[in-house]
Amino acid sequence: MAPTDDLDDRPTASPSGPAAPPAEPVAPAVAPADGTTLRTARMPRWLPRAMVLALALIATFQFGSWAFHQLTGLLINILIAFFLSLAIEPAVSRMSARGMRRGLATFLVFLGLAVVTAGFVTLLGSMLAGQIIKMIEGFPEYLDSLINWINQTFHTQLKRVDVQEGLLHSDWLRKYAQNSAAGVLDVSAQVLGGLFQLLTVGLFSFYFAADGPRLRRGLCSVLPPARQAEVLRAWEIAVDKTGGYIYSRGLMALISGVAHYVLLQALGVPYAPVLGVWVGLVSQFIPTIGTYLAGALPMLIAFTVAPWYAVWVLVFVVVYQQFENYMLQPKLTSKTVDIHPAVAFGSVIAGTALLGAVGALIAIPAVATLQAFLGAYVKRYKVTDDPRVQGHRLRANRPGMLPRMLWARERRTEEEAPSS
């Protein structure tokens, strides 16, 4: 009996186990019409790894950006502390070279700075408190004089009692009192934040100055010997320029303070010592416009004594600014921080735009350090004796100029002509 197709399609029993299930029918591959071989499309093996790596890089960038924004305040404090440590490095190094422990020398320097700062703030606070009390006590007289002037000028009949009652019951005063009461907590939080920031800057600057050699040793330990010399040289330049900037500015602040103190004392303006210190510090550590900003407070207090005294103070401030710019400052800063006034002003504006008041304070020493670093590594050449270097223009009608021009033209024509 001939076998049928049904019998052939039945599963065959294996001697070692049950019969295998029937295989699913596979669709025959259809060849393309052009006769080429059909290939099954597969994902490249490198694509999943590349996708995972790209996602990991994006996540790392996002985390780094978030962490940087969260730590911006701390990084700014560390930057301030670093420049402060560079400023006091020369004094600490001198005391350490005489046998004193570096930590003790740093502590003594910080103690001296703290004493000077506390004394200045105390004197300035007492002066401002005295002026405020004086203004409050003299407010009725000022108000009476103002009311009399208004009545005489505009033919009105105002009285001080009516004006005071109107001010006390005004909506403006009530809203101002409410806003001031609500802002007490904000002011307290800002004061506490400022104290914490000051403590952070002082702590980091103390460690930077006291452990300066250890910090340099640790930084150089991860660099090859050639790079170590470059880093140490850059560090030395930064210390020289920052310390020189602070000391030269301190000396000019002392001279400016003494000069303004003599003027204010001669005019009989109260709080002359404090005002002299104020003018000296503000005028030197806020470049270019610091003198005029610092002179506003002495002018205001001098105006309370006599109006003409304020004019004399203004004239003296302007004259002293010219004397400082053209005679005093070039001699004191020629060996420490020799920066053009335009560059200094531009650096202060850039520093203010980037970091605010902190950038304005550290802009000049940072630019001076960069300028000195570039001056040490940028190769310079001798300038030719060309009159145009001095700003003189060459004119064709000068004697001997036309023949030289014709000779240069003939020489250029000969060089451009093809050689035979």
Side-chain angles (χ1 to χ4, degrees):
M1 187 174 178
T4 61
D5 294 340
D6 296 334
L7 296 176
D8 293 338
D9 293 339
R10 293 176 183 176
T12 305
S14 60
S16 60
E24 297 181 358
V26 180
V30 180
D34 55 357
T36 59
T37 304
L38 179 64
R39 296 181 180 179
T40 305
R42 293 183 179 180
M43 180 183 297
R45 296 181 178 179
W46 57 266
L47 185 58
R49 297 180 180 179
M51 294 176 64
V52 172
L53 181 60
L55 292 176
L57 290 177
I58 293 174
T60 304
F61 175 77
Q62 293 292 337
F63 177 77
S65 177
W66 172 81
F68 178 78
H69 285 86
Q70 295 295 324
L71 298 176
T72 300
L74 178 61
L75 295 177
I76 292 177
N77 292 336
I78 293 176
L79 181 63
I80 299 172
F82 179 71
F83 273 95
L84 182 59
S85 65
L86 293 180
I88 65 175
E89 177 74 18
V92 174
S93 298
R94 290 179 182 178
M95 297 172 68
S96 178
R98 295 181 179 179
M100 185 179 297
R101 294 180 56 185
R102 193 174 182 87
L104 180 59
T106 307
F107 173 76
L108 292 178
V109 173
F110 270 90
L111 181 61
L113 291 175
V115 170
V116 173
T117 304
F120 172 70
V121 172
T122 302
L123 293 175
L124 184 62
S126 63
M127 180 196 69
L128 293 177
Q131 291 298 318
I132 292 174
I133 293 174
K134 184 178 179 181
M135 290 176 61
I136 293 175
E137 292 177 350
F139 180 76
E141 298 179 1
Y142 295 147
L143 187 59
D144 288 338
S145 62
L146 178 61
I147 291 174
N148 292 331
W149 180 81
I150 293 175
N151 291 333
Q152 294 176 3
T153 305
F154 299 100
H155 304 288
T156 58
Q157 296 180 356
L158 294 177
K159 296 181 180 181
R160 188 177 70 180
V161 178
D162 298 336
V163 174
Q164 290 178 351
E165 290 182 356
L167 290 176
L168 292 176
H169 295 87
S170 62
D171 295 336
W172 173 82
L173 184 60
R174 180 175 54 82
K175 293 180 180 180
Y176 179 78
Q178 293 177 355
N179 295 331
S180 299
V184 170
L185 295 178
D186 296 338
V187 172
S188 301
Q190 292 179 0
V191 170
L192 292 177
L195 292 177
F196 181 76
Q197 183 178 4
L198 183 62
L199 179 61
T200 304
V201 171
L203 184 62
F204 275 105
S205 59
F206 179 84
Y207 282 121
F208 284 155
D211 294 340
R214 185 184 303 177
L215 179 62
R216 288 189 288 268
R217 193 181 304 110
L219 181 61
C220 292
S221 63
V222 296
L223 298 174
R227 296 296 181 184
Q228 293 179 14
E230 300 297 332
V231 169
L232 293 177
R233 186 177 183 182
W235 194 295
E236 184 180 0
I237 291 175
V239 170
D240 292 339
K241 293 303 177 180
T242 306
Y245 169 76
I246 296 297
Y247 295 145
S248 61
R249 288 291 173 176
L251 182 58
M252 287 192 294
L254 178 62
I255 298 174
S256 176
V258 171
H260 287 84
Y261 163 74
V262 171
L263 173 68
L264 297 174
Q265 189 68 27
L267 294 177
V269 177
Y271 305 103
V274 183
L275 292 175
V277 176
W278 164 264
V279 173
L281 292 178
V282 176
S283 63
Q284 299 308 316
F285 290 97
I286 300 180
T288 307
I289 61 174
T291 302
Y292 305 104
L293 294 177
L297 184 59
M299 287 175 56
L300 179 61
I301 296 179
F303 184 82
T304 60
V305 178
W308 283 106
Y309 286 176
V311 178
W312 283 110
V313 172
L314 177 61
V315 172
F316 183 81
V317 167
V318 174
V319 173
Y320 182 82
Q321 178 68 22
Q322 305 305 318
F323 166 75
E324 180 182 284
N325 290 338
Y326 294 101
M327 297 186 64
L328 184 61
Q329 183 174 351
K331 294 182 179 180
L332 294 179
T333 61
S334 59
K335 296 182 180 180
T336 55
V337 186
D338 190 10
I339 301 179
H340 194 273
V343 177
F345 185 68
S347 63
V348 170
I349 294 178
T352 305
L354 293 175
L355 299 176
V358 176
L361 291 176
I362 67 176
I364 292 183
V367 172
T369 302
L370 180 61
Q371 180 178 342
F373 190 77
L374 293 177
Y377 289 96
V378 175
K379 185 177 180 180
R380 296 183 179 272
Y381 300 92
K382 183 179 179 181
V383 181
T384 59
D385 296 334
D386 196 314
R388 288 170 291 186
V389 176
Q390 305 297 331
H392 304 293
R393 299 182 60 186
L394 298 179
R395 301 182 183 276
N397 56 359
R398 288 186 177 182
M401 183 59 65
L402 183 60
R404 285 199 299 269
M405 294 177 60
L406 295 176
W407 176 83
R409 183 177 180 181
E410 293 176 358
R411 183 69 178 272
R412 193 184 313 109
T413 304
E414 293 177 358
E415 292 178 354
E416 294 177 355
S419 59
S420 55

